[in-house]
Amino acid sequence: MKIALLGTGFGQAHAAVYAERPDVDEVVVFGRTPDKLAMIGGQFGFATTTDLDALLTDPSVDLVDICLPTALHADVAVRAMQADHDVLIELPLATTLEDAHRIIAAQQATGRRAFVDMFSRFSPANQHLRQAVADQRHGPLRVLEIEGRTALLWPGYDLGLNTLAMDMMHADFDLVTSLLGQPSTIQVTGTGAPGGRGSAAEVLLGYPHAGFTGQGPATLTEVTPGGESPIGLPEAGPPYAAAIGHTMACLAGDAGSLIDPASALPALELTLDVHQRLTQAAS
């Protein structure tokens, strides 16, 4: 396959995945900064370009992988599908629900395949929890606590109150909405810091019979009347690598999609709601 990889930020992580896949014959990386393109090209041996139009209209491209700023996702995804390409879109799908629906409409109109990098769906812990809830293994889900922490992974990137929901919480909200639906109440508190360093937010989502708080370990533990026991989870690589592998399997006809854009809408709706509340708090 020939991959058009758009973006030199998180696109670096996708590039590393493609470099290890035997079913990828060629990768062309688009970016706006020559120095970043030279770094990726030199590291992985991929071709690079600053001409997005030429890449989107190249009929030999099999998949357009969009790792551009979120505000650009809809326009580029629609253009790519209209040019007869399948697309993989980094999360979040879009910055507005209108743009998300525009992507879905283009998918339906063109008949092309579209995928969203909802990589957390391939996390062993999340997969185990989803299955336990689906099986009603322990009865109804009453409380779910999730804590996420990260360093500033990309040079020049600030993780402040105006980006926490979109960039940090969206994957967790995908898990929450898939298990519990949309919350009946939302309470948000946030603490900002210059440059985003040390910024933090806590979100309390209320459900008639369950709740969600922003604290908890990064392991999965089963709690029963007999006591607590850690869940043994399988060893796994980066979940986004699993998402890319799933995309390739779908394109090869070996799997049905678990990351269709329409499936990302509930989490996006909640993420945008929390994002608006946090940015209002920041201002």
Side-chain angles (χ1 to χ4, degrees), residues 33 38-39 61 74 86 88 93 125 175 185 200 212 222-223 235 246 253:
T33 307
M39 181 184 68
V61 167
D86 297 322
L88 170 61
L93 176 61
L175 175 65
T185 60
F212 169 77
E222 183 179 71
V223 181
E235 293 291 331
H246 176 71

Side-chain angles (χ1 to χ4, degrees), residues 30-105:
F30 162 79
R32 295 167 294 183
T33 307
D35 289 346
K36 291 182 178 179
L37 287 175
M39 181 184 68
I40 293 178
Q43 181 177 0
F44 300 108
F46 294 158
T48 63
T49 182
T50 57
D51 191 341
L52 178 60
D53 292 337
L55 195 54
L56 290 181
T57 55
D58 181 350
S60 67
V61 167
D62 297 294
L63 176 70
V64 177
D65 185 339
I66 303 171
C67 293
L68 298 170
T70 307
L72 303 177
H73 286 183
D75 285 344
V76 175
V78 169
R79 286 182 58 194
M81 286 186 282
Q82 290 176 340
D84 208 27
H85 298 306
D86 297 322
V87 296
L88 170 61
I89 307 165
E90 186 51 63
L91 84 165
L93 176 61
T95 55
T96 67
L97 288 175
E98 290 80 6
D99 273 352
H101 284 291
R102 196 152 60 90
I103 292 172
I104 295 171

Side-chain angles (χ1 to χ4, degrees), residues 5-7 9-15 18 64-74 77 87-95 103 115-120 154 166-167 170-171 239-241 243-244 247 259 264 268:
L5 177 56
L6 313 184
F10 199 69
Q12 297 175 48
H14 287 216
Y18 291 127
V64 177
D65 185 339
I66 303 171
C67 293
L68 298 170
T70 307
L72 303 177
H73 286 183
V87 296
L88 170 61
I89 307 165
E90 186 51 63
L91 84 165
L93 176 61
T95 55
I103 292 172
F115 307 89
V116 189
D117 188 17
M118 305 300 288
F119 56 83
S120 66
W154 305 113
M166 299 293 283
D167 294 344
H170 183 42
Y240 59 82
I244 290 175
T247 297
I259 49 177
L268 181 61

Side-chain angles (χ1 to χ4, degrees), residues 53-263:
D53 292 337
L55 195 54
L56 290 181
T57 55
D58 181 350
S60 67
V61 167
D62 297 294
L63 176 70
V64 177
D65 185 339
I66 303 171
C67 293
L68 298 170
T70 307
L72 303 177
H73 286 183
D75 285 344
V76 175
V78 169
R79 286 182 58 194
M81 286 186 282
Q82 290 176 340
D84 208 27
H85 298 306
D86 297 322
V87 296
L88 170 61
I89 307 165
E90 186 51 63
L91 84 165
L93 176 61
T95 55
T96 67
L97 288 175
E98 290 80 6
D99 273 352
H101 284 291
R102 196 152 60 90
I103 292 172
I104 295 171
Q107 176 191 7
Q108 294 170 343
T110 62
R112 301 309 310 179
R113 304 294 300 275
F115 307 89
V116 189
D117 188 17
M118 305 300 288
F119 56 83
S120 66
R121 298 182 185 181
F122 300 91
S123 157
N126 285 1
Q127 289 179 329
H128 184 99
L129 180 58
R130 287 174 188 266
Q131 193 59 52
V133 172
D135 296 343
Q136 287 284 289
R137 197 173 305 165
H138 310 293
L141 179 62
R142 298 296 187 186
V143 176
L144 176 62
E145 298 182 357
I146 301 173
E147 180 180 6
R149 302 185 182 206
T150 185
L152 300 177
L153 299 177
W154 305 113
Y157 178 68
D158 293 332
L159 192 62
L161 293 182
N162 61 334
T163 57
L164 274 176
M166 299 293 283
D167 294 344
M168 272 292 291
M169 299 180 179
H170 183 42
D172 290 333
F173 289 158
D174 180 56
L175 175 65
V176 172
T177 55
S178 69
L179 297 178
L180 298 169
Q182 294 294 340
S184 57
T185 60
I186 304 173
Q187 300 178 41
V188 176
T189 58
T191 301
R197 301 178 187 278
S199 296
E202 182 171 287
V203 181
L204 179 66
L205 306 178
Y207 291 84
H209 304 293
F212 169 77
T213 67
Q215 301 178 19
T219 56
L220 192 62
T221 302
E222 183 179 71
V223 181
T224 68
E228 298 185 7
S229 58
I231 300 296
L233 299 171
E235 293 291 331
Y240 59 82
I244 290 175
H246 176 71
T247 297
M248 305 294 276
C250 291
L251 294 176
D254 296 329
S257 178
L258 300 175
I259 49 177
D260 186 88
S263 72

